[in-house]
Amino acid sequence: MNAEPIRFDTKIAVLLREDLEPWQRLNVTAFLVSGLGSSVPEVIGEPYEDADGIGYLPMFRQPVLVFEGTKELLTAAHTRTLSRALPRALFTSDLFTTGNDRDNRAAVRAVPTAELDLVGLAVYGPRNAVDKVLKGARMHP
Protein backbone atom coordinates (compact mmCIF):
# COMPACT_ATOMS: atom_id res chain seq x y z
CA MET A 1 0.00 0.00 0.00
CA ASN A 2 1.30 3.45 -0.91
CA ALA A 3 1.80 5.61 2.20
CA GLU A 4 2.32 8.78 0.17
CA PRO A 5 -0.27 11.40 1.22
CA ILE A 6 -2.79 12.43 -1.39
CA ARG A 7 -2.69 16.14 -2.23
CA PHE A 8 -5.51 17.96 -4.00
CA ASP A 9 -5.27 20.94 -6.30
CA THR A 10 -8.92 21.67 -5.51
CA LYS A 11 -10.68 23.01 -2.44
CA ILE A 12 -14.11 22.52 -0.88
CA ALA A 13 -15.06 25.52 1.23
CA VAL A 14 -18.09 26.74 3.14
CA LEU A 15 -18.50 30.41 4.04
CA LEU A 16 -20.96 31.18 6.84
CA ARG A 17 -22.30 34.53 7.94
CA GLU A 18 -20.72 35.39 11.29
CA ASP A 19 -24.00 36.25 13.06
CA LEU A 20 -25.56 32.76 12.83
CA GLU A 21 -26.52 30.80 15.93
CA PRO A 22 -24.48 27.60 16.51
CA TRP A 23 -27.36 25.32 15.45
CA GLN A 24 -27.81 27.40 12.29
CA ARG A 25 -24.10 27.09 11.42
CA LEU A 26 -24.30 23.30 11.61
CA ASN A 27 -27.58 23.09 9.71
CA VAL A 28 -26.45 25.46 6.95
CA THR A 29 -23.12 23.66 6.55
CA ALA A 30 -24.83 20.27 6.23
CA PHE A 31 -27.27 21.55 3.60
CA LEU A 32 -24.57 23.34 1.61
CA VAL A 33 -22.16 20.44 1.36
CA SER A 34 -24.98 18.09 0.38
CA GLY A 35 -25.41 20.23 -2.72
CA LEU A 36 -21.77 19.86 -3.73
CA GLY A 37 -21.70 16.15 -2.97
CA SER A 38 -24.76 15.45 -5.09
CA SER A 39 -23.74 17.59 -8.09
CA VAL A 40 -19.95 17.32 -8.28
CA PRO A 41 -19.23 13.56 -8.29
CA GLU A 42 -15.45 13.93 -8.31
CA VAL A 43 -15.52 15.26 -4.72
CA ILE A 44 -16.81 11.93 -3.41
CA GLY A 45 -14.34 9.21 -2.43
CA GLU A 46 -14.76 5.46 -2.22
CA PRO A 47 -17.13 3.72 0.21
CA TYR A 48 -15.79 2.77 3.65
CA GLU A 49 -15.68 -0.66 5.20
CA ASP A 50 -14.73 -1.65 8.73
CA ALA A 51 -12.65 -4.70 9.71
CA ASP A 52 -15.82 -6.81 10.01
CA GLY A 53 -16.84 -6.06 6.43
CA ILE A 54 -19.67 -3.68 7.34
CA GLY A 55 -20.02 -1.08 4.60
CA TYR A 56 -20.50 2.67 5.02
CA LEU A 57 -21.38 5.42 2.60
CA PRO A 58 -18.63 7.26 0.76
CA MET A 59 -17.79 10.78 1.92
CA PHE A 60 -15.85 13.69 0.51
CA ARG A 61 -12.38 12.68 -0.61
CA GLN A 62 -10.85 15.84 0.83
CA PRO A 63 -11.39 18.14 3.80
CA VAL A 64 -14.15 20.74 3.87
CA LEU A 65 -12.79 24.05 5.11
CA VAL A 66 -15.29 26.25 6.95
CA PHE A 67 -14.92 30.03 7.03
CA GLU A 68 -16.97 32.93 8.37
CA GLY A 69 -17.46 36.54 7.43
CA THR A 70 -19.82 39.47 7.35
CA LYS A 71 -22.97 39.71 5.27
CA GLU A 72 -21.09 42.03 2.90
CA LEU A 73 -18.22 39.58 2.53
CA LEU A 74 -20.66 36.78 1.76
CA THR A 75 -22.26 38.91 -0.98
CA ALA A 76 -18.84 39.71 -2.46
CA ALA A 77 -17.81 36.04 -2.34
CA HIS A 78 -21.05 35.07 -4.09
CA THR A 79 -20.35 37.59 -6.86
CA ARG A 80 -16.80 36.25 -7.27
CA THR A 81 -18.09 32.67 -7.37
CA LEU A 82 -20.54 33.57 -10.14
CA SER A 83 -17.90 35.43 -12.16
CA ARG A 84 -15.63 32.37 -12.00
CA ALA A 85 -18.52 29.97 -12.79
CA LEU A 86 -17.51 27.68 -9.91
CA PRO A 87 -19.83 24.96 -8.63
CA ARG A 88 -21.72 26.48 -5.69
CA ALA A 89 -24.55 25.98 -3.25
CA LEU A 90 -26.28 28.75 -1.31
CA PHE A 91 -28.41 29.13 1.77
CA THR A 92 -30.50 32.24 2.31
CA SER A 93 -32.09 33.52 5.51
CA ASP A 94 -35.52 32.74 4.00
CA LEU A 95 -34.74 29.01 4.18
CA PHE A 96 -34.93 29.14 7.98
CA THR A 97 -38.68 29.81 7.66
CA THR A 98 -39.59 27.12 5.13
CA GLY A 99 -40.34 23.55 6.02
CA ASN A 100 -39.73 21.55 2.86
CA ASP A 101 -37.65 21.28 -0.27
CA ARG A 102 -40.29 22.71 -2.62
CA ASP A 103 -40.73 25.82 -0.47
CA ASN A 104 -36.94 26.18 -0.17
CA ARG A 105 -36.51 26.33 -3.93
CA ALA A 106 -39.47 28.72 -4.28
CA ALA A 107 -38.00 31.04 -1.64
CA VAL A 108 -34.71 31.31 -3.55
CA ARG A 109 -36.45 31.62 -6.92
CA ALA A 110 -38.52 34.57 -5.64
CA VAL A 111 -35.48 36.80 -4.99
CA PRO A 112 -33.22 38.43 -7.63
CA THR A 113 -29.55 37.42 -7.41
CA ALA A 114 -28.36 40.81 -6.17
CA GLU A 115 -30.96 40.82 -3.38
CA LEU A 116 -30.37 37.34 -1.94
CA ASP A 117 -29.94 37.49 1.85
CA LEU A 118 -27.11 34.97 2.00
CA VAL A 119 -26.20 33.23 5.23
CA GLY A 120 -24.05 30.50 3.67
CA LEU A 121 -22.20 29.61 0.50
CA ALA A 122 -20.34 26.44 -0.48
CA VAL A 123 -17.90 26.44 -3.35
CA TYR A 124 -15.66 23.91 -5.05
CA GLY A 125 -12.90 24.43 -7.56
CA PRO A 126 -9.22 24.97 -8.14
CA ARG A 127 -7.50 25.94 -4.90
CA ASN A 128 -6.37 29.37 -6.13
CA ALA A 129 -9.83 30.27 -7.51
CA VAL A 130 -11.55 29.29 -4.26
CA ASP A 131 -8.95 31.27 -2.29
CA LYS A 132 -9.78 34.36 -4.37
CA VAL A 133 -13.50 33.85 -3.81
CA LEU A 134 -12.93 33.68 -0.03
CA LYS A 135 -10.63 36.72 0.14
CA GLY A 136 -11.22 38.47 3.46
CA ALA A 137 -12.91 35.50 5.16
CA ARG A 138 -11.47 33.95 8.29
CA MET A 139 -11.42 30.32 9.37
CA HIS A 140 -14.41 29.34 11.48
CA PRO A 141 -13.36 29.18 15.15
Side-chain angles (χ1 to χ4, degrees):
M1 181 152 121
N2 187 356
E4 186 75 23
I6 298 173
R7 304 281 184 218
F8 297 99
D9 58 355
T10 57
K11 185 179 270 189
I12 299 171
V14 171
L15 176 59
L16 300 172
R17 203 163 77 190
E18 64 188 2
D19 61 349
L20 295 179
E21 294 293 326
W23 73 266
Q24 291 174 316
R25 291 170 183 260
L26 296 170
N27 185 265
V28 170
T29 300
F31 270 96
L32 290 172
V33 297
S34 73
L36 290 179
S38 65
S39 298
V40 187
E42 65 266 24
V43 301
I44 303 297
E46 297 296 319
Y48 287 77
E49 184 176 293
D50 66 24
D52 293 323
I54 303 297
Y56 302 91
L57 294 172
M59 296 185 286
F60 289 124
R61 65 183 183 146
Q62 65 191 91
V64 176
L65 302 172
V66 181
F67 297 83
E68 69 176 4
T70 64
K71 179 177 180 172
E72 295 76 19
L73 184 98
L74 207 55
T75 299
H78 181 243
T79 300
R80 291 190 290 261
T81 300
L82 294 175
S83 71
R84 288 172 173 76
L86 295 171
R88 65 211 164 260
L90 62 76
F91 199 103
T92 67
S93 62
D94 295 330
L95 301 185
F96 289 126
T97 63
T98 59
N100 63 75
D101 188 48
R102 183 183 316 114
D103 290 343
N104 286 349
R105 289 192 316 278
V108 173
R109 191 178 310 110
V111 181
T113 305
E115 296 174 25
L116 291 168
D117 185 17
L118 298 168
V119 297
L121 179 70
V123 62
Y124 170 75
R127 182 180 302 277
N128 63 344
V130 173
D131 288 344
K132 288 177 182 173
V133 163
L134 298 172
K135 185 176 181 184
R138 60 191 173 279
M139 287 294 292
H140 189 280

